[in-house]
Amino acid sequence: MSVPGAGHVATLLGAWALDACDGAEAGAVAAHLRACTLCADEAALLRSAAAALSESGLAAGTHYPDLAPRRAGVLAAAGTRRRPAPAVPNFAAPFAATAGLLESVLAEVDDRAWNRRSVVHTWTAGDLVAHLAASDALVAAAIGLDPDPPVEPGQDVLAYSEAFIAVARAWPPRRVLSHWRAGVDAIAARLCARPEVAEQVVDIGATHMSVANQLIIRAFETWIHARDIGEVAGVRVPAPSDRHLRPMTELAAKVLDTLPRLGIFSSTGHPGPVGAVQLTLTGRGGGSWLVRIGTQAPPPAVPDAEIVVDAVEFCLLVAERRGADELGAVVTGAAELAAELFALAPILAQP
Amino acid sequence: MSPAPADVDLHDRVVAGDEGALGEIYDRFGSFLLALAHRVTRDREAAHDVVQEVFAHLWERPLTFDPARGAMRAWLATIAHRRAVDWVRKEERHRQLGRENPAELAPAAVQPGPEAELEATETVREVRRTVSDLPDGLREAVELAFYRGLTYRQVAVELGIPEGTAKSRMRSALRQLANRLAEEGAV
């Protein structure tokens, strides 16, 4: 699709790729590229050729100076622009990593994006940050901290979150971010001081599980909402790395397998399919688990069905960011049993 | 083009706020980026400032890099080049071809560490050959722009050609370079 003046911009693409335009022209080209895929494709091609020039311009035998004396200074200067992930004991590594991930996403969120509606309820990107801070506060209270606003015993999780979102809407973004960061730091410090708290079983909302597992759920929620915020800001958010995603998929498989123990025997509340499914997740966060559906009886030697699906896609199903038909899953054996597993998965993400 | 696993892993770690990853990327590419920045700025301190700025940008805004779109090395080089050119433009000194006594980089007291990726060797020979094979007019235009930080207008003055010709030579040169590199599987 051609745009008025597109021909003029196209002639500049070579110069632009070489950084040989002046500031105003470079700005005009960049703006045009956001609207015109034809020029954007050529620009990308020319850019990659220009980047290759950075290799050839260095003559054979160029003296490459030792940079060790400058290393600390460079890293320290970088450190003034953005904080690292907080230090935590190993069991909380996913929580720290997804906090870091959210920090990276927030660097791409300006004030306009902050106030833009996300896919979650009617919440804006800013509301999602407030929601994460509130949800973190519930865990903080469970490990003996004193978050603000205070958490009452037996606190209703939804009410607490909505109350804080309302308060945070009146704050400038900077203050909401500080509050979220302070909450993460307080939890991290507490975990470093008292790592034994990992095995302590705590009740938050309807969940009754170890602090270690509560933090995996925090990590999962932080990642999913970081993704939602990224969508609002127009930036692609990578999934957590395998070592951080694996504890999340592992927990999901284990909880799915034990749903009957929590009184959940089917997705509909009426009697449904019963059996065992071999759930194999591929790619980062991957693994393979035998998941019983609708029963706690010992599983058969051969599973009734097998599902092979990408781990990240499966996580997005749990988070209800994907439908079961969008997963690209390969199902063999009892199809209705596999479908029941997909239908049960989002229950894991309910508060 | 599928992203290099090392790029993806390092990028994931920077995104997750892992300072160690930033240090590793510095160890890999710092020397190369410094040499590139010096090539363009001809000024030792300016070159160090450029490198510092590149790493600060990577750390602060890691999501501006997408490993699926190209190699991290090339992306860092692009940022370094842009900052180096910005410095050159800001310089008040009158530009001459061949600056007098540019401040040289001190030669290495010790060799850069084994993890330093000084040359992307698969690419570098092909690129050098392709650039030297370009018709003189195209090559000169590209070299003046890329390595001296001249705008296309300044290149036009330097080569005594119309501005439109300078622009089209740059575009042609890069297209030829891109095509040749694609043929060699080097891009």
Side-chain angles (χ1 to χ4, degrees):
Chain A
M1 173 163 264
S2 84
V3 171
H8 167 68
V9 167
T11 62
L12 276 171
L13 288 179
W16 178 81
L18 292 166
D19 295 322
C21 292
D22 65 40
E25 283 170 328
V29 171
H32 175 75
L33 294 181
R34 283 191 282 276
C36 172
T37 45
L38 206 62
C39 284
D41 287 346
E42 184 180 352
L45 185 74
L46 300 184
R47 266 276 181 219
S48 64
L53 284 173
S54 66
E55 306 291 349
S56 80
L58 306 173
T62 295
H63 255 306
Y64 292 93
D66 177 26
L67 287 194
R70 301 266 184 160
R71 191 182 195 273
V74 169
L75 299 182
T80 63
R81 301 267 198 102
R82 174 249 175 120
R83 46 187 260 139
V88 291
N90 267 345
F91 69 83
F95 175 69
T98 53
L101 177 82
L102 178 57
E103 200 68 66
S104 295
V105 174
L106 291 168
E108 306 306 316
V109 175
D110 58 19
D111 283 354
R112 275 203 349 222
W114 182 267
N115 292 310
R116 213 172 280 149
R117 290 267 173 92
S118 73
V119 297
V120 183
H121 312 308
T122 55
W123 290 349
T124 62
D127 293 339
L128 285 174
V129 178
H131 170 69
L132 288 171
S135 307
D136 288 347
L138 296 167
V139 172
I143 59 176
L145 293 172
D146 244 322
D148 169 47
V151 175
E152 305 304 320
Q155 175 77 59
D156 177 86
V157 304
L158 225 47
Y160 181 83
S161 182
E162 288 187 344
F164 182 65
I165 289 172
V167 163
R169 279 190 181 143
W171 292 357
R174 194 176 307 267
R175 187 174 170 190
V176 181
L177 290 174
S178 283
H179 185 96
W180 167 68
R181 287 173 182 138
V184 169
D185 285 349
I187 291 173
R190 180 70 164 183
L191 298 176
C192 287
R194 306 271 182 90
E196 67 277 8
V197 82
E199 297 313 311
Q200 197 181 316
V201 177
V202 296
D203 292 282
I204 300 176
T207 66
H208 175 82
M209 48 176 69
S210 69
V211 166
N213 284 343
Q214 296 285 5
L215 288 167
I216 290 170
I217 291 173
R218 294 307 322 126
F220 181 78
E221 209 198 352
T222 302
W223 163 42
I224 294 298
H225 288 322
R227 251 185 114 258
D228 297 332
I229 293 168
E231 230 174 82
V232 164
V235 67
R236 195 195 76 93
V237 178
S241 61
D242 179 77
R243 66 185 162 281
H244 298 131
L245 196 56
R246 204 18 161 99
M248 300 184 211
T249 52
E250 176 106 27
L251 182 60
K254 288 212 173 107
V255 172
L256 269 175
D257 180 67
T258 56
L259 283 180
R261 224 183 287 165
L262 305 173
I264 301 170
F265 290 86
S266 85
S267 59
T268 58
H270 304 298
V274 171
V277 179
Q278 187 69 32
L279 177 64
T280 298
L281 303 183
T282 60
R284 61 167 77 181
S288 193
W289 302 270
L290 190 63
V291 176
R292 290 166 294 177
I293 302 293
T295 176
Q296 287 290 275
V302 176
D304 304 295
E306 182 160 356
I307 295 172
V308 179
V309 65
D310 178 78
V312 171
E313 291 296 301
F314 183 75
C315 286
L316 296 177
L317 172 79
V318 169
E320 291 189 283
R321 301 297 188 274
R322 289 277 192 273
D325 50 350
E326 299 172 285
L327 297 179
V330 175
V331 172
T332 47
E336 70 281 1
L337 193 65
E340 177 66 358
L341 187 150
F342 289 142
L344 285 167
I347 290 175
L348 302 176
Q350 298 314 312
Chain B
M1 179 194 121
S2 77
D7 274 6
V8 171
D9 185 59
L10 282 171
H11 184 242
D12 282 345
R13 287 169 58 200
V14 173
V15 169
D18 176 349
E19 287 172 300
L22 191 69
E24 283 179 43
I25 296 171
Y26 181 82
D27 293 335
R28 270 183 189 224
F29 299 131
S31 292
F32 157 64
L33 293 171
L34 184 70
L36 172 64
H38 186 256
R39 180 77 166 78
V40 175
T41 61
R42 302 290 189 184
D43 184 293
R44 183 181 54 216
E45 279 313 307
H48 281 293
D49 286 347
V50 165
V51 169
Q52 181 163 293
E53 205 19 65
V54 170
F55 283 92
H57 175 83
L58 168 63
W59 181 243
E60 186 186 8
R61 303 193 57 192
L63 293 180
T64 56
F65 171 60
D66 181 353
R69 288 247 187 102
M72 183 183 288
R73 179 190 178 91
W75 182 77
L76 291 170
T78 300
I79 296 179
H81 186 264
R82 190 154 51 224
R83 304 283 173 162
V85 166
D86 284 348
W87 184 88
V88 165
R89 303 268 166 86
K90 275 193 191 125
E91 268 301 283
E92 300 281 275
R93 272 181 269 158
H94 180 59
R95 301 184 47 75
Q96 315 243 338
L97 260 178
R99 183 103 51 93
E100 260 58 80
N101 301 319
E104 289 298 330
L105 291 172
V110 294
Q111 284 305 303
E115 59 283 330
E117 291 177 19
L118 301 179
E119 301 194 338
T121 43
E122 323 89 65
T123 317
V124 86
R125 246 174 292 129
E126 285 91 351
V127 174
R128 284 199 191 131
R129 205 179 343 115
T130 306
V131 170
S132 65
D133 283 353
L134 285 172
D136 286 350
L138 299 192
R139 195 191 62 253
E140 278 167 351
V142 152
E143 287 179 347
L144 285 172
F146 192 80
Y147 300 119
R148 315 280 326 184
L150 301 192
T151 64
Y152 71 86
R153 292 176 214 269
Q154 291 169 327
V155 169
V157 167
E158 214 56 73
L159 297 180
I161 57 178
E163 285 181 5
T165 306
K167 283 187 281 184
S168 74
R169 284 189 187 178
M170 290 177 190
R171 193 177 178 196
S172 289
L174 288 177
R175 279 169 116 155
Q176 284 189 39
L177 186 54
N179 289 338
R180 279 284 295 271
L181 291 173
E183 280 167 27
E184 309 276 346
V187 165

